[in-house]
Amino acid sequence: MAVEAPGLRERKKRETRLALSRAAIRLSIERGWDNVTVEAIAAEANVSVRTFRNYFANKAEAIAASHVERSMRIADELRTRPTDEPLWDSIADAVLAQFAGGERSGADSEDDRRWRDALRLMLAEPALQGEVVKANAAAQNALAAAIAERTSTDATRDVYPQLVAAVIGAGTAAAVEHCLRADEPLPLARVLREVFDRIRAGLPVP
């Protein structure tokens, strides 16, 4: 019997984690935080509750996992960029690639406004905020590892990869929060591009 390659097994595990996380986010936005159970999330992702428990302890952890997965994909994308490309060009493109097509903030319909309002409420949940703090740490480590490879530095001994990873996280979070708080819908891709253009320029005073 052929043995499944570790890379494929890991890929399938990441796909399952992401499917559960997206189901948890979607249901929490549509139904409200208190009206979503682990059983409903598992059913939405077409897996058993036991499978859910194999990946996550609760729905807050499942929701926060999307942030970690996105950062891992950004790190994966960064590793494929040309080594002679300016670092912040590579970073901006890697980040934008993970948000392209997934934003709803460019439209101005009543459904989109309700979706943004529900997302704000979900992100304000204390239980989720605690998991987001943990997710931020995991995301930063994943990005720092890719930055270290790209810059021939050490993610555990050198401050540079951790600093750059922290800036990526802060810049992305600022763009998302800016879009969520805007009175009128804003295209997230455009705001992200502006954020990383400003970072690349050294954050000059406007």
mmCIF file with all atom_site columns, all heavy atoms in Angstrom, residues 105 108 113 116 179 181-186:
data_model
loop_
_atom_site.group_PDB
_atom_site.id
_atom_site.type_symbol
_atom_site.label_atom_id
_atom_site.label_alt_id
_atom_site.label_comp_id
_atom_site.label_asym_id
_atom_site.label_entity_id
_atom_site.label_seq_id
_atom_site.pdbx_PDB_ins_code
_atom_site.Cartn_x
_atom_site.Cartn_y
_atom_site.Cartn_z
_atom_site.occupancy
_atom_site.B_iso_or_equiv
_atom_site.pdbx_formal_charge
_atom_site.auth_seq_id
_atom_site.auth_comp_id
_atom_site.auth_asym_id
_atom_site.auth_atom_id
_atom_site.pdbx_PDB_model_num
ATOM 1  N N   . SER A 1 105 ? -16.016 44.513 1.112  1.00 0.00 ? 105 SER A N   1
ATOM 2  C CA  . SER A 1 105 ? -16.132 45.920 1.460  1.00 0.00 ? 105 SER A CA  1
ATOM 3  C C   . SER A 1 105 ? -16.191 46.859 0.269  1.00 0.00 ? 105 SER A C   1
ATOM 4  O O   . SER A 1 105 ? -16.348 48.054 0.434  1.00 0.00 ? 105 SER A O   1
ATOM 5  C CB  . SER A 1 105 ? -14.950 46.331 2.350  1.00 0.00 ? 105 SER A CB  1
ATOM 6  O OG  . SER A 1 105 ? -13.737 45.974 1.751  1.00 0.00 ? 105 SER A OG  1
ATOM 7  N N   . ASP A 1 108 ? -21.784 48.358 -1.698 1.00 0.00 ? 108 ASP A N   1
ATOM 8  C CA  . ASP A 1 108 ? -22.500 49.234 -0.782 1.00 0.00 ? 108 ASP A CA  1
ATOM 9  C C   . ASP A 1 108 ? -23.962 48.814 -0.701 1.00 0.00 ? 108 ASP A C   1
ATOM 10 O O   . ASP A 1 108 ? -24.858 49.634 -0.803 1.00 0.00 ? 108 ASP A O   1
ATOM 11 C CB  . ASP A 1 108 ? -22.376 50.682 -1.256 1.00 0.00 ? 108 ASP A CB  1
ATOM 12 C CG  . ASP A 1 108 ? -22.862 51.662 -0.191 1.00 0.00 ? 108 ASP A CG  1
ATOM 13 O OD1 . ASP A 1 108 ? -23.009 51.233 0.963  1.00 0.00 ? 108 ASP A OD1 1
ATOM 14 O OD2 . ASP A 1 108 ? -23.098 52.827 -0.525 1.00 0.00 ? 108 ASP A OD2 1
ATOM 15 N N   . ARG A 1 113 ? -23.597 45.881 4.379  1.00 0.00 ? 113 ARG A N   1
ATOM 16 C CA  . ARG A 1 113 ? -23.547 46.675 5.611  1.00 0.00 ? 113 ARG A CA  1
ATOM 17 C C   . ARG A 1 113 ? -23.872 45.794 6.822  1.00 0.00 ? 113 ARG A C   1
ATOM 18 O O   . ARG A 1 113 ? -23.234 45.910 7.865  1.00 0.00 ? 113 ARG A O   1
ATOM 19 C CB  . ARG A 1 113 ? -24.527 47.847 5.517  1.00 0.00 ? 113 ARG A CB  1
ATOM 20 C CG  . ARG A 1 113 ? -24.086 48.928 4.537  1.00 0.00 ? 113 ARG A CG  1
ATOM 21 C CD  . ARG A 1 113 ? -25.134 50.034 4.452  1.00 0.00 ? 113 ARG A CD  1
ATOM 22 N NE  . ARG A 1 113 ? -24.741 51.034 3.465  1.00 0.00 ? 113 ARG A NE  1
ATOM 23 C CZ  . ARG A 1 113 ? -23.923 52.055 3.728  1.00 0.00 ? 113 ARG A CZ  1
ATOM 24 N NH1 . ARG A 1 113 ? -23.413 52.203 4.921  1.00 0.00 ? 113 ARG A NH1 1
ATOM 25 N NH2 . ARG A 1 113 ? -23.607 52.916 2.781  1.00 0.00 ? 113 ARG A NH2 1
ATOM 26 N N   . ARG A 1 116 ? -20.844 43.605 7.588  1.00 0.00 ? 116 ARG A N   1
ATOM 27 C CA  . ARG A 1 116 ? -19.783 44.332 8.289  1.00 0.00 ? 116 ARG A CA  1
ATOM 28 C C   . ARG A 1 116 ? -20.149 44.588 9.746  1.00 0.00 ? 116 ARG A C   1
ATOM 29 O O   . ARG A 1 116 ? -19.320 44.455 10.643 1.00 0.00 ? 116 ARG A O   1
ATOM 30 C CB  . ARG A 1 116 ? -19.489 45.661 7.582  1.00 0.00 ? 116 ARG A CB  1
ATOM 31 C CG  . ARG A 1 116 ? -18.742 45.508 6.272  1.00 0.00 ? 116 ARG A CG  1
ATOM 32 C CD  . ARG A 1 116 ? -18.186 46.840 5.804  1.00 0.00 ? 116 ARG A CD  1
ATOM 33 N NE  . ARG A 1 116 ? -19.252 47.819 5.608  1.00 0.00 ? 116 ARG A NE  1
ATOM 34 C CZ  . ARG A 1 116 ? -19.112 49.116 5.813  1.00 0.00 ? 116 ARG A CZ  1
ATOM 35 N NH1 . ARG A 1 116 ? -17.976 49.609 6.249  1.00 0.00 ? 116 ARG A NH1 1
ATOM 36 N NH2 . ARG A 1 116 ? -20.112 49.943 5.582  1.00 0.00 ? 116 ARG A NH2 1
ATOM 37 N N   . CYS A 1 179 ? -11.185 49.524 7.261  1.00 0.00 ? 179 CYS A N   1
ATOM 38 C CA  . CYS A 1 179 ? -12.314 49.215 6.381  1.00 0.00 ? 179 CYS A CA  1
ATOM 39 C C   . CYS A 1 179 ? -13.579 48.917 7.174  1.00 0.00 ? 179 CYS A C   1
ATOM 40 O O   . CYS A 1 179 ? -14.682 49.328 6.789  1.00 0.00 ? 179 CYS A O   1
ATOM 41 C CB  . CYS A 1 179 ? -11.970 48.031 5.481  1.00 0.00 ? 179 CYS A CB  1
ATOM 42 S SG  . CYS A 1 179 ? -10.763 48.418 4.188  1.00 0.00 ? 179 CYS A SG  1
ATOM 43 N N   . ARG A 1 181 ? -14.404 50.047 10.110 1.00 0.00 ? 181 ARG A N   1
ATOM 44 C CA  . ARG A 1 181 ? -14.907 51.224 10.817 1.00 0.00 ? 181 ARG A CA  1
ATOM 45 C C   . ARG A 1 181 ? -15.341 52.360 9.897  1.00 0.00 ? 181 ARG A C   1
ATOM 46 O O   . ARG A 1 181 ? -15.941 53.325 10.350 1.00 0.00 ? 181 ARG A O   1
ATOM 47 C CB  . ARG A 1 181 ? -13.824 51.741 11.765 1.00 0.00 ? 181 ARG A CB  1
ATOM 48 C CG  . ARG A 1 181 ? -13.568 50.826 12.952 1.00 0.00 ? 181 ARG A CG  1
ATOM 49 C CD  . ARG A 1 181 ? -12.622 51.470 13.945 1.00 0.00 ? 181 ARG A CD  1
ATOM 50 N NE  . ARG A 1 181 ? -12.464 50.655 15.135 1.00 0.00 ? 181 ARG A NE  1
ATOM 51 C CZ  . ARG A 1 181 ? -11.735 51.008 16.190 1.00 0.00 ? 181 ARG A CZ  1
ATOM 52 N NH1 . ARG A 1 181 ? -11.078 52.163 16.174 1.00 0.00 ? 181 ARG A NH1 1
ATOM 53 N NH2 . ARG A 1 181 ? -11.645 50.222 17.245 1.00 0.00 ? 181 ARG A NH2 1
ATOM 54 N N   . ALA A 1 182 ? -15.044 52.238 8.619  1.00 0.00 ? 182 ALA A N   1
ATOM 55 C CA  . ALA A 1 182 ? -15.374 53.311 7.680  1.00 0.00 ? 182 ALA A CA  1
ATOM 56 C C   . ALA A 1 182 ? -16.887 53.491 7.560  1.00 0.00 ? 182 ALA A C   1
ATOM 57 O O   . ALA A 1 182 ? -17.644 52.519 7.601  1.00 0.00 ? 182 ALA A O   1
ATOM 58 C CB  . ALA A 1 182 ? -14.776 53.005 6.311  1.00 0.00 ? 182 ALA A CB  1
ATOM 59 N N   . ASP A 1 183 ? -17.329 54.740 7.436  1.00 0.00 ? 183 ASP A N   1
ATOM 60 C CA  . ASP A 1 183 ? -18.754 55.009 7.269  1.00 0.00 ? 183 ASP A CA  1
ATOM 61 C C   . ASP A 1 183 ? -19.270 54.458 5.946  1.00 0.00 ? 183 ASP A C   1
ATOM 62 O O   . ASP A 1 183 ? -20.401 53.982 5.864  1.00 0.00 ? 183 ASP A O   1
ATOM 63 C CB  . ASP A 1 183 ? -19.012 56.517 7.329  1.00 0.00 ? 183 ASP A CB  1
ATOM 64 C CG  . ASP A 1 183 ? -18.752 57.093 8.717  1.00 0.00 ? 183 ASP A CG  1
ATOM 65 O OD1 . ASP A 1 183 ? -18.890 56.339 9.698  1.00 0.00 ? 183 ASP A OD1 1
ATOM 66 O OD2 . ASP A 1 183 ? -18.397 58.279 8.802  1.00 0.00 ? 183 ASP A OD2 1
ATOM 67 N N   . GLU A 1 184 ? -18.442 54.524 4.927  1.00 0.00 ? 184 GLU A N   1
ATOM 68 C CA  . GLU A 1 184 ? -18.783 53.978 3.620  1.00 0.00 ? 184 GLU A CA  1
ATOM 69 C C   . GLU A 1 184 ? -17.830 52.838 3.286  1.00 0.00 ? 184 GLU A C   1
ATOM 70 O O   . GLU A 1 184 ? -16.665 52.865 3.674  1.00 0.00 ? 184 GLU A O   1
ATOM 71 C CB  . GLU A 1 184 ? -18.687 55.065 2.541  1.00 0.00 ? 184 GLU A CB  1
ATOM 72 C CG  . GLU A 1 184 ? -19.646 56.228 2.756  1.00 0.00 ? 184 GLU A CG  1
ATOM 73 C CD  . GLU A 1 184 ? -21.105 55.803 2.702  1.00 0.00 ? 184 GLU A CD  1
ATOM 74 O OE1 . GLU A 1 184 ? -21.400 54.830 1.957  1.00 0.00 ? 184 GLU A OE1 1
ATOM 75 O OE2 . GLU A 1 184 ? -21.934 56.416 3.379  1.00 0.00 ? 184 GLU A OE2 1
ATOM 76 N N   . PRO A 1 185 ? -18.321 51.806 2.578  1.00 0.00 ? 185 PRO A N   1
ATOM 77 C CA  . PRO A 1 185 ? -17.463 50.665 2.253  1.00 0.00 ? 185 PRO A CA  1
ATOM 78 C C   . PRO A 1 185 ? -16.209 51.072 1.501  1.00 0.00 ? 185 PRO A C   1
ATOM 79 O O   . PRO A 1 185 ? -16.256 51.922 0.609  1.00 0.00 ? 185 PRO A O   1
ATOM 80 C CB  . PRO A 1 185 ? -18.359 49.782 1.381  1.00 0.00 ? 185 PRO A CB  1
ATOM 81 C CG  . PRO A 1 185 ? -19.750 50.158 1.775  1.00 0.00 ? 185 PRO A CG  1
ATOM 82 C CD  . PRO A 1 185 ? -19.700 51.619 2.088  1.00 0.00 ? 185 PRO A CD  1
ATOM 83 N N   . LEU A 1 186 ? -15.093 50.480 1.868  1.00 0.00 ? 186 LEU A N   1
ATOM 84 C CA  . LEU A 1 186 ? -13.817 50.740 1.209  1.00 0.00 ? 186 LEU A CA  1
ATOM 85 C C   . LEU A 1 186 ? -13.254 49.434 0.664  1.00 0.00 ? 186 LEU A C   1
ATOM 86 O O   . LEU A 1 186 ? -13.354 48.391 1.316  1.00 0.00 ? 186 LEU A O   1
ATOM 87 C CB  . LEU A 1 186 ? -12.811 51.329 2.208  1.00 0.00 ? 186 LEU A CB  1
ATOM 88 C CG  . LEU A 1 186 ? -13.111 52.711 2.772  1.00 0.00 ? 186 LEU A CG  1
ATOM 89 C CD1 . LEU A 1 186 ? -12.110 53.041 3.876  1.00 0.00 ? 186 LEU A CD1 1
ATOM 90 C CD2 . LEU A 1 186 ? -13.048 53.753 1.671  1.00 0.00 ? 186 LEU A CD2 1
#
